[in-house]
Amino acid sequence: MRYDDVADLLPQLADGPEGASPEVAAFVESDLRSQAELARYRRLIRSLQLLRNHLVEPAPGLLAQIIAALELPDSRARILTARRMVYAGAVGGVAAGAAATAVVLMRRRMSLAGSVG
Amino acid sequence: MDLLIAAAKAGDRQAFEDLVRQTYLDTYNLALRLTANEEDARDVVQETYLRAWKGIRRFRGDAQFTTWLYRITANAASTYLSRRRRQRTEPLDTIHDMEDRRTEARPEEAAESAADLAQVAVALNGLAPKLRAVVVLKDVYGLAHEAIGAELGISVTAAKVRLHRGRKQLREELDDMLARSARAV
């Protein structure tokens, strides 16, 4: 038996020798190249397990979207609707802020005009 | 969490929303690994919780609640990606700077360099979606082959074949990345 005969089985054997024939298991155990490859596969699996703890923060609004979708009545379109509601809320917030700013500016301009007149 | 689950099973939506608050970050990350696209992941997460809310009465507690959610997420992502593949044909490769925005790290991770893990994440993202799904569910999230097969609509044997093929391709891609970076130096 040669390394090439077992190379394709190594990704499976990285989980343990179960399922391998006794000949294959014995060869892999005694072959240095197979052992080195197995060690690399096990390192890869360990890295993959660690990826679970590398959490990516979603863009803001996801939680609100999920909750909004739950609150809507049954509908095929409620995911999209929930997304629009959150988006509309954000746009509404910006619009309200702009309107408030405009009112303040207008009042300031009027009081300035009054003091000049 | 057990009290919240019991209350949610009894129809208490506030309790379910509390469960959402506790688990959505984890669920989102699984969806992101499966879809490799932030917008798609958001849709999958919403679909997951809609299905979970509809089906919470059927949750028997044999497995952990999070494992139950992972299975729903896997199924929702599989359905979503199949539907999307029919609609358009663009590649699924748009995770941006994932590893730069990680929010937590465990002490045991000190053994692995962040650069190594970032490379693994990039290589994983480059796998074909069908292989990536099995590798993510088995090697990252620890689901059993039987559960993976059931949620992806494939046999246990097919799940194992995809896992081993995915691992092999990952290894080859990581070797290529190493060779490229060595040439660059």
Side-chain angles (χ1 to χ4, degrees), chain A residues 32-50:
Chain A
L32 288 180
R33 187 174 172 195
S34 300
Q35 284 295 312
E37 279 297 295
L38 264 188
R40 294 174 75 187
Y41 272 113
R42 287 181 178 140
R43 183 177 156 85
L44 169 66
I45 294 168
R46 195 170 63 244
S47 297
L48 286 166
Q49 288 166 347
L50 292 177

Side-chain angles (χ1 to χ4, degrees), chain A residues 7-8 10-15 37 40-41 43-63 65-67 69-72 74-75 78-80 82-83, chain B residues 13 16-17 20-21 24-25 28-29 32-33 39 42-43 45-47 49-50 53 70 98-99 101-104 106 108-109 112 116-117 120 124 135 139-141 164 167-168 170-171 174-175:
Chain A
D8 284 344
L10 295 176
Q12 172 190 345
L13 292 173
D15 290 328
E37 279 297 295
R40 294 174 75 187
Y41 272 113
R43 183 177 156 85
L44 169 66
I45 294 168
R46 195 170 63 244
S47 297
L48 286 166
Q49 288 166 347
L50 292 177
L51 276 184
R52 184 170 172 175
N53 297 327
H54 279 234
L55 296 179
V56 177
E57 196 72 51
L62 177 60
L63 181 61
Q65 249 177 278
I66 300 168
I67 303 289
L70 288 171
E71 285 167 359
L72 290 170
D74 282 343
S75 157
R78 65 181 175 176
I79 287 179
L80 190 59
R83 188 191 293 172
Chain B
R13 202 170 64 207
F16 186 77
E17 288 179 9
V20 173
R21 284 188 188 86
Y24 85 99
L25 187 57
Y28 170 75
N29 274 268
L32 188 58
R33 299 264 182 228
E39 275 301 311
R42 293 170 75 92
D43 286 348
V45 170
Q46 283 187 70
E47 177 65 24
Y49 284 109
L50 289 174
W53 173 235
Y70 293 158
M98 282 183 63
E99 300 313 309
R101 292 189 291 141
R102 63 186 183 175
T103 55
E104 68 182 275
R106 307 257 194 266
E108 69 266 27
E109 290 177 21
E112 301 279 337
D116 284 351
L117 289 182
V120 172
L124 182 63
V135 173
D139 284 343
V140 182
Y141 285 84
H164 302 147
R167 283 177 181 171
K168 189 165 187 286
L170 267 182
R171 270 290 324 282
L174 286 167
D175 283 350

